[in-house]
Amino acid sequence: MFNENLEYITNQNLKERLENLKIEESSKDLSYCMTTSNDYLLLKKDIPLDDLNNPRKAIQETLAELIKKPMGKNDIIITFGIGLCYQLDEVYNTYPSKIFVYEPDTKLLHFVLNNVDISDHLKSGRVFIFDDLNDLIAKLSEIYITKDKVEVVYLKNYAIIKSQELLALTQKVYESCKSKTVDINTITRYSKYWLANTLKNINSVNKGIAYKLSDLEGKFTGQAALVAAAGPSLNENIEFIRNNREKFVIFAVNKALKTLIKNGITPDFVICADARFVNKTLEGLENDIPNINCIMNINSDSDIMLNKFRKVFITFPTNDMVVNKLSEYNPFIVNQESGGSATTMAFVSAVKMGFSKVIMCGVDLAFKDDVVYADGEVYEKISADEMKVNSIVKNLTVVPSVTGMDVVTSSDYAAFIHHFEVLINELNYVSVYNTSSFGALIPGMKNTSIDKIPLFGISNTTAIILGEVQPFKFETKKWTENELLLINNVIALLSQSTFSPALVAAITKSSMMYQYMQADILQVLQTNMADEMAESFIAKTKEGIKFVVDSLQMNDLI
């Protein structure tokens, strides 16, 4: 029975942990009893994990209480606690949704899988089992699409026994879904610009005017990086930064650049991650830009290349399908997780470059007296839970502050807090300091005032290190030939006026078409390819083909 269950568990980390356990070990402190409804009940240390009278009926009542809306096949139900699988069985037979079973007690899980056959549930492809919360959140982030519903249900007795684990689960699920919603909204808004920028930037790189940031990996060991973001608290640290300028290598988020320059501070690097309108933040700095190096994603605003930076360093986002395809023909490409913002990109770049300390200034991810940025810009409050800044409406929320209280922020900032936490954990980086006096509490960062951080003395050797790097170029011929073959497959299906999963699958095989049409594909998937979507989707597909081919021609790539 155990082996049959194990065969269909796709979580390899969990599989290994379960295989290393023995039944004698996992059965310790466990016992059975019979309920008044003639169902077996599992006890641990004589504490029942489910309802003592009628566990199946209790689960039905709990589901009716917790799940108020109809659940579809793309929705996700997370069951907390496995018990003897009554809850899993009820959810599986009642709803068509994907099911995440979270059992934080690995030994208990091992025992149950040795005694209850759920192989049919597992082989269905819609049931996933986890004993580690990080694994669960990673899978949730992978398959969750905005507008999908996510519900957490639980065994009531077990929820009392494992209250802290249930609380952590619900918090992490909420944060992940919020973060993913922001990610999807960003994709919907910018995917077409990312593609256009990537193709233009490849053309610029092939003129020999750019460098790979990965060539600087590990070059700055023993030095301190200071990331200057545009939050209000940056102003509190300006004087200290200016007086100790030689002790830092400064990374400025492009929106913070004018504040630094105005105060006599020229950063070593400016980080430009935006897909559009970067020049608005660079206006009036024409005399300063030649003294500054730029770090940009390959899909960042292509106008960046038109500015006369000292050197331009390129990074390659992990989650960009065009870059991933390009890397198959250019093995020197090293992907770098950007975290979705210029500030997270600056942090990751500093860590990859080998800095022994990273000091974050102006990384408030929250608002102070309605002020959003160090330049004094304030947001307009539209309602109790909505704000407007730069003509963009955002949801307001509150998050824990470094002060121990709560602080007001926006939903996208709340997502970036989660991004930072994930990045710090993934990079296993412990020497990161946040100097914000009022902002959001970012797990993994040490909160302190800047004057209390021990520094290394004079340590800026940037000019020497950057003098060693060489420009690079892409191999594009085979890459574009392959893309055109895949686009021809899409054209062949369009000639049959086909609106089907086959058409969507053909589009996703072309990285360029997929990036151009991400928002459209998400929309048709969320409607289960409703017939009324056919005409507009086919029209957008034709637009996408024309855009891709025209862009390749304009950028001398075909």
Side-chain angles (χ1 to χ4, degrees), residues 529-545:
M529 300 200 66
D531 290 341
E532 58 266 26
M533 300 292 295
E535 185 177 348
S536 64
F537 187 78
I538 288 173
K540 288 174 181 176
T541 303
K542 291 176 180 177
E543 288 173 14
I545 292 169

mmCIF file of all heavy atoms in Angstrom, residues 529-545:
data_model
loop_
_atom_site.group_PDB
_atom_site.id
_atom_site.type_symbol
_atom_site.label_atom_id
_atom_site.label_comp_id
_atom_site.label_asym_id
_atom_site.label_seq_id
_atom_site.Cartn_x
_atom_site.Cartn_y
_atom_site.Cartn_z
ATOM 1 N N MET A 529 -11.854 28.424 -22.480
ATOM 2 C CA MET A 529 -11.929 28.534 -23.936
ATOM 3 C C MET A 529 -13.370 28.637 -24.425
ATOM 4 O O MET A 529 -13.805 27.908 -25.324
ATOM 5 C CB MET A 529 -11.196 27.367 -24.608
ATOM 6 C CG MET A 529 -9.721 27.309 -24.245
ATOM 7 S SD MET A 529 -8.722 26.370 -25.401
ATOM 8 C CE MET A 529 -8.820 27.374 -26.890
ATOM 9 N N ALA A 530 -14.089 29.557 -23.827
ATOM 10 C CA ALA A 530 -15.490 29.783 -24.222
ATOM 11 C C ALA A 530 -15.561 30.184 -25.697
ATOM 12 O O ALA A 530 -14.715 30.919 -26.203
ATOM 13 C CB ALA A 530 -16.096 30.880 -23.351
ATOM 14 N N ASP A 531 -16.578 29.712 -26.379
ATOM 15 C CA ASP A 531 -16.710 29.938 -27.825
ATOM 16 C C ASP A 531 -16.719 31.419 -28.184
ATOM 17 O O ASP A 531 -16.209 31.819 -29.246
ATOM 18 C CB ASP A 531 -17.998 29.282 -28.339
ATOM 19 C CG ASP A 531 -17.914 27.759 -28.318
ATOM 20 O OD1 ASP A 531 -16.775 27.239 -28.268
ATOM 21 O OD2 ASP A 531 -18.974 27.104 -28.344
ATOM 22 N N GLU A 532 -17.280 32.247 -27.295
ATOM 23 C CA GLU A 532 -17.374 33.670 -27.613
ATOM 24 C C GLU A 532 -15.996 34.359 -27.631
ATOM 25 O O GLU A 532 -15.867 35.501 -28.076
ATOM 26 C CB GLU A 532 -18.302 34.399 -26.643
ATOM 27 C CG GLU A 532 -17.915 34.290 -25.186
ATOM 28 C CD GLU A 532 -18.636 33.140 -24.476
ATOM 29 O OE1 GLU A 532 -19.031 32.168 -25.149
ATOM 30 O OE2 GLU A 532 -18.794 33.236 -23.246
ATOM 31 N N MET A 533 -14.957 33.656 -27.133
ATOM 32 C CA MET A 533 -13.605 34.217 -27.148
ATOM 33 C C MET A 533 -12.902 33.974 -28.477
ATOM 34 O O MET A 533 -11.856 34.566 -28.742
ATOM 35 C CB MET A 533 -12.769 33.577 -26.023
ATOM 36 C CG MET A 533 -13.302 33.776 -24.626
ATOM 37 S SD MET A 533 -13.194 35.485 -24.086
ATOM 38 C CE MET A 533 -11.420 35.711 -24.040
ATOM 39 N N ALA A 534 -13.457 33.099 -29.315
ATOM 40 C CA ALA A 534 -12.746 32.613 -30.506
ATOM 41 C C ALA A 534 -12.323 33.741 -31.442
ATOM 42 O O ALA A 534 -11.153 33.853 -31.828
ATOM 43 C CB ALA A 534 -13.613 31.593 -31.246
ATOM 44 N N GLU A 535 -13.276 34.587 -31.839
ATOM 45 C CA GLU A 535 -12.991 35.604 -32.865
ATOM 46 C C GLU A 535 -11.897 36.567 -32.420
ATOM 47 O O GLU A 535 -10.949 36.847 -33.171
ATOM 48 C CB GLU A 535 -14.276 36.365 -33.194
ATOM 49 C CG GLU A 535 -14.108 37.360 -34.345
ATOM 50 C CD GLU A 535 -15.417 38.046 -34.713
ATOM 51 O OE1 GLU A 535 -16.488 37.597 -34.250
ATOM 52 O OE2 GLU A 535 -15.346 39.035 -35.474
ATOM 53 N N SER A 536 -12.017 37.080 -31.197
ATOM 54 C CA SER A 536 -11.029 38.054 -30.727
ATOM 55 C C SER A 536 -9.667 37.395 -30.522
ATOM 56 O O SER A 536 -8.626 37.999 -30.805
ATOM 57 C CB SER A 536 -11.498 38.720 -29.427
ATOM 58 O OG SER A 536 -11.594 37.777 -28.377
ATOM 59 N N PHE A 537 -9.657 36.142 -30.039
ATOM 60 C CA PHE A 537 -8.384 35.460 -29.798
ATOM 61 C C PHE A 537 -7.652 35.218 -31.110
ATOM 62 O O PHE A 537 -6.434 35.413 -31.200
ATOM 63 C CB PHE A 537 -8.611 34.141 -29.060
ATOM 64 C CG PHE A 537 -7.326 33.465 -28.635
ATOM 65 C CD1 PHE A 537 -6.637 33.913 -27.522
ATOM 66 C CD2 PHE A 537 -6.811 32.397 -29.356
ATOM 67 C CE1 PHE A 537 -5.448 33.306 -27.130
ATOM 68 C CE2 PHE A 537 -5.632 31.781 -28.971
ATOM 69 C CZ PHE A 537 -4.952 32.246 -27.845
ATOM 70 N N ILE A 538 -8.375 34.785 -32.136
ATOM 71 C CA ILE A 538 -7.749 34.543 -33.442
ATOM 72 C C ILE A 538 -7.215 35.860 -34.017
ATOM 73 O O ILE A 538 -6.104 35.912 -34.572
ATOM 74 C CB ILE A 538 -8.747 33.872 -34.408
ATOM 75 C CG1 ILE A 538 -8.979 32.410 -33.968
ATOM 76 C CG2 ILE A 538 -8.254 33.919 -35.846
ATOM 77 C CD1 ILE A 538 -10.070 31.694 -34.729
ATOM 78 N N ALA A 539 -7.965 36.946 -33.849
ATOM 79 C CA ALA A 539 -7.511 38.256 -34.335
ATOM 80 C C ALA A 539 -6.240 38.694 -33.608
ATOM 81 O O ALA A 539 -5.291 39.203 -34.234
ATOM 82 C CB ALA A 539 -8.617 39.286 -34.151
ATOM 83 N N LYS A 540 -6.201 38.483 -32.299
ATOM 84 C CA LYS A 540 -5.012 38.854 -31.521
ATOM 85 C C LYS A 540 -3.812 37.985 -31.884
ATOM 86 O O LYS A 540 -2.668 38.452 -31.852
ATOM 87 C CB LYS A 540 -5.318 38.756 -30.027
ATOM 88 C CG LYS A 540 -6.243 39.866 -29.545
ATOM 89 C CD LYS A 540 -6.662 39.666 -28.099
ATOM 90 C CE LYS A 540 -7.611 40.767 -27.647
ATOM 91 N NZ LYS A 540 -8.115 40.548 -26.272
ATOM 92 N N THR A 541 -4.080 36.723 -32.224
ATOM 93 C CA THR A 541 -2.993 35.846 -32.654
ATOM 94 C C THR A 541 -2.372 36.365 -33.947
ATOM 95 O O THR A 541 -1.144 36.394 -34.099
ATOM 96 C CB THR A 541 -3.506 34.408 -32.853
ATOM 97 O OG1 THR A 541 -4.109 33.940 -31.638
ATOM 98 C CG2 THR A 541 -2.367 33.469 -33.240
ATOM 99 N N LYS A 542 -3.200 36.794 -34.871
ATOM 100 C CA LYS A 542 -2.695 37.359 -36.133
ATOM 101 C C LYS A 542 -1.900 38.643 -35.878
ATOM 102 O O LYS A 542 -0.845 38.873 -36.489
ATOM 103 C CB LYS A 542 -3.864 37.631 -37.082
ATOM 104 C CG LYS A 542 -4.537 36.360 -37.604
ATOM 105 C CD LYS A 542 -5.751 36.681 -38.474
ATOM 106 C CE LYS A 542 -6.413 35.398 -38.986
ATOM 107 N NZ LYS A 542 -7.637 35.679 -39.784
ATOM 108 N N GLU A 543 -2.401 39.469 -34.949
ATOM 109 C CA GLU A 543 -1.668 40.679 -34.572
ATOM 110 C C GLU A 543 -0.295 40.326 -34.000
ATOM 111 O O GLU A 543 0.715 40.982 -34.299
ATOM 112 C CB GLU A 543 -2.453 41.474 -33.531
ATOM 113 C CG GLU A 543 -3.695 42.167 -34.050
ATOM 114 C CD GLU A 543 -4.506 42.785 -32.918
ATOM 115 O OE1 GLU A 543 -3.963 42.892 -31.789
ATOM 116 O OE2 GLU A 543 -5.668 43.152 -33.143
ATOM 117 N N GLY A 544 -0.287 39.286 -33.167
ATOM 118 C CA GLY A 544 0.956 38.853 -32.542
ATOM 119 C C GLY A 544 1.981 38.388 -33.563
ATOM 120 O O GLY A 544 3.171 38.717 -33.465
ATOM 121 N N ILE A 545 1.537 37.617 -34.549
ATOM 122 C CA ILE A 545 2.439 37.137 -35.598
ATOM 123 C C ILE A 545 3.059 38.313 -36.341
ATOM 124 O O ILE A 545 4.274 38.365 -36.575
ATOM 125 C CB ILE A 545 1.687 36.207 -36.574
ATOM 126 C CG1 ILE A 545 1.297 34.907 -35.861
ATOM 127 C CG2 ILE A 545 2.539 35.898 -37.806
ATOM 128 C CD1 ILE A 545 0.324 34.046 -36.639
#
